[in-house]
């Protein structure tokens, strides 16, 4: 016994002695002693209960232990990822030669140690330490989950802002999320995309994980050395070092976005390398394949530009080619001098303007003016015929100088000089590299501004502007820029209004150019969005298109049909346009009167798009038979695009009442059967077959009369071959399954579907296609199984399991 236990025992003896003495002397009653004893027993029982409860609380239940181990597992996985990254750093250090130069690559590979690393590693169940760390495990796991949830909320907020066009706000949200979870690959990938949209391409490289391995460090410029210092490997580094997943899907996005940033920084070779890596990870990525093709073209253009510059600078020969290139160089030098002279004297003299802000001063003399115009004409001739001249023109900075020259104002007398500059621009954009510079700068905006504000005293000027717009609209990059500027530049619709008004007042060639420009611009979302918000412009355009359709000019009708077809690609515009019965009747009249094939193809495509709306179907109800006859004739065309549009239009006309008699009159089904090709599967052939299958499946849903007619026309056999072949789209398989289910609903036709190949193909569709196709296939199997002779075949291919998933007994 220790000292404290002895003292406690002595106190208890003294207390008992005191009670006994009190009882003898009569100073303490027996009831007091009894109460004292009961109180002591209660205290002892309470202490015992507390001890038992404490012991019970200290024992972990299996559920609690499992929960803690799950949390420990997550913490250990994160720790394992960090350890792999540290091992990679150690390996890198061992492989590198000793050097006194600071190696910033180590920064990208370094992963700091956390204070809880060793503690997490020591977490094992059934040990006192594990029980002691219970609260600590909960707190650490809670902190990790909280950080992850915070990053997820910021990612969603950033995505919402990005969809609204608030790119800066989106990047701010992604950055806040990365502060909570700095190894979140999705946040880095999204931040890279936002950075590209903001024009911060170096910042985008930081988030994507830039790779300088393709260029020796000794050859890097000071600018690129700074990039190496600033950057931290992110998406690709995280996927490889932390997650051990170098082929993660996000790596493909990161490589694509890094390629875009490299292209903007004129690092075309690195861009090609990035996209090649992306395709190695995901060979089926069509977007990356398209980007790689463009990146290779850009690299080839850059190498060609450098080669031509070296040849002109180092070659002493006097060949015609070198002379032409040096002439381009001389003209660019003269233009640069003129631009400097003009910028120094813009406040000295101002001629009568025709519409813009910074007037062009008068030329020193008419002789110099004549010389300058001659040089511009000669430059136009060189650029229009020789791509080497166009490339060298870009390399000398000529495109930028022409853009700067257009910012000046031209007097009425100098309208001819302005036409010359516009011709030079049109010649130079024949080269894709020059087109990107023109579309990416302020030149297109200036051209639209000129088109709106200029006083059209010169027919040549108006014609040249329209010709240049048309050349821009042919190219994807130029079209995007032109549509954006036409939609953005003028809130009062003056740009589109001028184009639409000229359909009536312009010459025939101008009308064709305007319809061509409008039709191509309506491929772009910016132009369609602008038109959706301007009802008056749409109504005015509808009236103009009706007038064109009633004319006898096939070329105007062709481009007007393209315009209508592209407008109807937007659901809201399509609903508004098809409400005009006069326009729909004019379109029907054009389709049925027999135009040349080049003009007929866009007319049929426009009709197919319009027929999506019931209002259009009602407006042309009196033309149904003539239209079906024309479309039936189009099925025999040598042009597959025309055939595909005709089958699509027929599939939509099939929904109309009394359509069977019109189709039967033109022998449509017989021609459709002859078009089904079960061996080839080109894109156009698939579109043709999709339209055919849609047509026959639509008719099969109408009733027994239509089903009987389809069977008599021999539709079932080629449809079965399509299904059995198994290399068609889910839509084709789903519609064929619908057709077969409607045929099987009539007992007399089930015999056509009894073969093993048919039932096996239906089972495959029910297992592999999308939900609607699976359901159609299951219904077809259920109806076929009603024939006792088919039960064994259905059972053989496990068709009943499929049926019971969709068709309950």
């Amino acid at each position: 016994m220790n000292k404290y236990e002895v003292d406690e025992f002595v106190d208890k003896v003294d207390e008992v002695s005191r009670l006994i003495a009190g009882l003898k002397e009569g100073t303490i009653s027996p009831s007091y002693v009894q109460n004292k004893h009961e109180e002591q027993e209660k205290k002892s029982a309470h202490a015992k209960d507390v001890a038992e409860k404490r012991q019970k609380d200290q024992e972990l239940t299996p559920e609690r232990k499992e929960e803690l181990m799950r949390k420990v597992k997550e913490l250990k996985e994160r720790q394992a990822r960090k350890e792999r990254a540290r091992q990679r750093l150690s390996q890198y250090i061992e492989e590198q030669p000793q050097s006194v130069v600071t190696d910033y690559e180590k920064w990208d590979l370094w992963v700091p140690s956390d204070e809880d690393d060793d503690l997490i590693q020591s977490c094992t169940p059934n040990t006192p330490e594990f029980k002691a760390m219970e609260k600590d495990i909960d707190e650490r796991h809670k902190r990790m989950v909280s950080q992850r949830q915070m990053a997820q909320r910021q990612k969603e907020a950033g995505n919402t802002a990005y969809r609204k066009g608030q790119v800066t706000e989106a990047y701010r949200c992604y950055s806040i999320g990365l502060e909570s979870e700095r190894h979140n690959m999705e946040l880095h990938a999204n931040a890279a995309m936002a950075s590209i949209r903001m024009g911060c391409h170096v910042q985008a490289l930081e988030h994507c994980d830039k790779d300088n391995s393709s260029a020796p460090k000794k050859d890097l410029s000071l600018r690129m050395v700074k990039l190496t210092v600033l950057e931290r490997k992110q998406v690709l580094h995280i996927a490889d070092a932390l997650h051990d997943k170098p082929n993660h899907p996000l790596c493909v996005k990161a490589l694509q976005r890094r390629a875009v940033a490299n292209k903007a920084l004129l690092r075309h070779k690195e861009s090609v390398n990035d996209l090649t890596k992306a395709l190695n990870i995901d060979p089926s990525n069509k977007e990356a394949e398209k980007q790689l093709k463009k990146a290779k073209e850009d690299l080839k253009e850059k190498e060609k530009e450098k080669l031509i510059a070296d040849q002109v600078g180092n070659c002493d020969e006097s060949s015609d080619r070198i002379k032409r290139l040096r002439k381009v160089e001389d003209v660019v030098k003269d233009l640069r001098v003129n631009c400097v002279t003009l910028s120094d004297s813009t406040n000295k003299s101002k001629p009568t303007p025709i519409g813009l802000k910074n007037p062009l001063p008068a030329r020193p003399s008419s002789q110099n003016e004549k010389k300058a115009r001659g040089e511009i004409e000669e430059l136009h001739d060189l650029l229009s015929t020789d791509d080497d001249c166009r490339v060298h023109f870009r390399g000398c900075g000529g495109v930028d100088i022409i853009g700067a020259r257009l910012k000046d104002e031209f007097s009425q007398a100098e309208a001819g000089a302005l036409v010359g500059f516009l011709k030079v621009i049109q010649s130079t954009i024949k080269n894709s590299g020059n087109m990107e510079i023109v579309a990416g700068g302020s030149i297109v905006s200036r051209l639209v501004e000129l088109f709106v504000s200029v006083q059209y005293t010169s027919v040549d000027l108006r014609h040249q502007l329209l010709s240049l717009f048309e050349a821009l609209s042919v190219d994807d990059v130029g079209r995007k820029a032109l549509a954006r500027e036409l939609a953005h530049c003028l809130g009062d619709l003056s740009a589109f209004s001028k184009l639409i008004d000229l359909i009536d007042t312009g010459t025939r060639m101008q009308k064709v150019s305007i319809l061509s420009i409008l039709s191509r611009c309506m491929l772009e979302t910016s132009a369609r969005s602008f038109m959706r918000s301007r009802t008056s412009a749409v109504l005015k355009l509808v009236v103009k298109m009706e007038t064109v359709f009633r004319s006898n000019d096939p070329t105007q009708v062709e481009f007007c049909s393209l315009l209508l077809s592209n407008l109807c690609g937007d659901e809201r515009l399509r609903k508004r346009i098809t409400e005009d019965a006069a326009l729909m009747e004019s379109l029907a009249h054009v389709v049925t009167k027999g135009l040349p094939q080049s003009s007929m193809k866009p007319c049929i495509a426009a009709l197919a798009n319009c027929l999506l709306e019931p209002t259009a179907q009602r407006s042309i109800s009196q033309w149904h038979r003539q239209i079906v006859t024309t479309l039936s004739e189009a099925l025999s065309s040598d042009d597959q695009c025309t055939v595909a549009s005709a089958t699509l239009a027929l599939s939509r006309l099939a929904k109309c009442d009394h359509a069977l008699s019109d189709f039967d009159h033109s022998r449509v089904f017989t021609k459709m059967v002859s078009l089904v090709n079960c061996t080839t599967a080109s894109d156009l052939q698939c579109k043709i077959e999709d339209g055919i299958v849609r047509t026959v499946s639509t008719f099969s849903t109408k009733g027994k009369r239509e089903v009987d007619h389809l069977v008599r026309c021999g539709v079932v056999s080629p449809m079965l071959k399509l299904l059995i072949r198994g290399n068609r789209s889910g839509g084709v398989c789903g519609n064929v399954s619908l057709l077969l289910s409607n045929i099987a609903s009539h007992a007399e036709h089930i015999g056509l579907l009894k073969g093993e190949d048919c039932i096996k193909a239906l089972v495959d569709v029910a297992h592999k296609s999308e939900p609607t196709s699976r359901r159609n296939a299951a219904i077809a199997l259920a109806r076929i199984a009603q024939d006792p002779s088919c039960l064994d075949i259905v059972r053989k291919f496990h068709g009943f399991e499929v049926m019971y998933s969709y068709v309950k007994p």
Side-chain angles (χ1 to χ4, degrees), residues 391-404:
V391 172
H392 194 50
F393 182 67
R394 178 181 69 239
C396 296
V399 179
D400 295 329
I401 292 172
I402 288 291

Side-chain angles (χ1 to χ4, degrees), residues 259 337 383 791:
V337 171
L383 297 179
L791 288 176

Side-chain angles (χ1 to χ4, degrees), residues 435-479:
M435 174 66 83
E436 288 195 5
I437 296 176
V438 170
S442 60
I443 293 179
V444 178
S445 174
R446 174 61 174 162
L447 293 174
V448 173
E449 193 175 350
L450 277 170
F451 174 75
V452 172
S453 59
V454 81
Q455 303 297 322
Y456 288 117
T457 56
S458 170
V459 176
D460 292 340
L461 185 57
R462 178 195 297 179
H463 175 75
Q464 188 57 48
L465 277 169
L466 291 175
S467 179
L468 184 50
F469 284 172
E470 190 172 6
L472 285 167
S473 68
V474 171
D475 183 84
D476 290 344
V477 177
R479 181 174 62 248

Side-chain angles (χ1 to χ4, degrees), residues 128-143:
E129 292 82 2
F130 185 81
K131 174 60 189 169
M133 290 181 62
E134 177 184 0
K135 183 178 179 181
D136 191 56
I137 292 171
D138 283 334
E139 290 178 351
R140 289 174 184 167
H141 186 268
K142 182 179 179 181
R143 184 168 63 250

Side-chain angles (χ1 to χ4, degrees), residues 515-575:
L515 291 170
S516 171
I517 293 165
L518 288 174
S519 66
R520 294 187 181 116
C521 284
M522 290 307 154
L523 290 169
E524 302 301 326
T525 304
S526 56
R528 292 200 301 269
S529 299
F530 187 75
M531 294 298 287
R532 278 199 305 267
S533 62
R534 301 298 194 278
T535 303
S536 59
V538 176
L539 295 177
K540 184 190 295 186
L541 188 55
V542 165
V543 174
K544 305 294 184 183
M545 287 192 293
E546 180 185 345
T547 304
V548 173
F549 279 136
R550 294 191 180 281
S551 70
N552 294 319
D553 190 323
T555 306
Q556 292 186 42
V557 169
E558 176 183 349
F559 285 106
C560 188
S561 299
L562 285 171
L563 173 58
L564 177 59
S565 181
N566 293 338
L567 284 168
C568 289
D570 183 277
E571 183 180 1
R572 287 170 56 185
L573 288 174
R574 184 176 64 244
K575 289 182 179 294

Side-chain angles (χ1 to χ4, degrees), residues 335 348 603:
L335 286 172
K348 296 181 181 179
C603 291

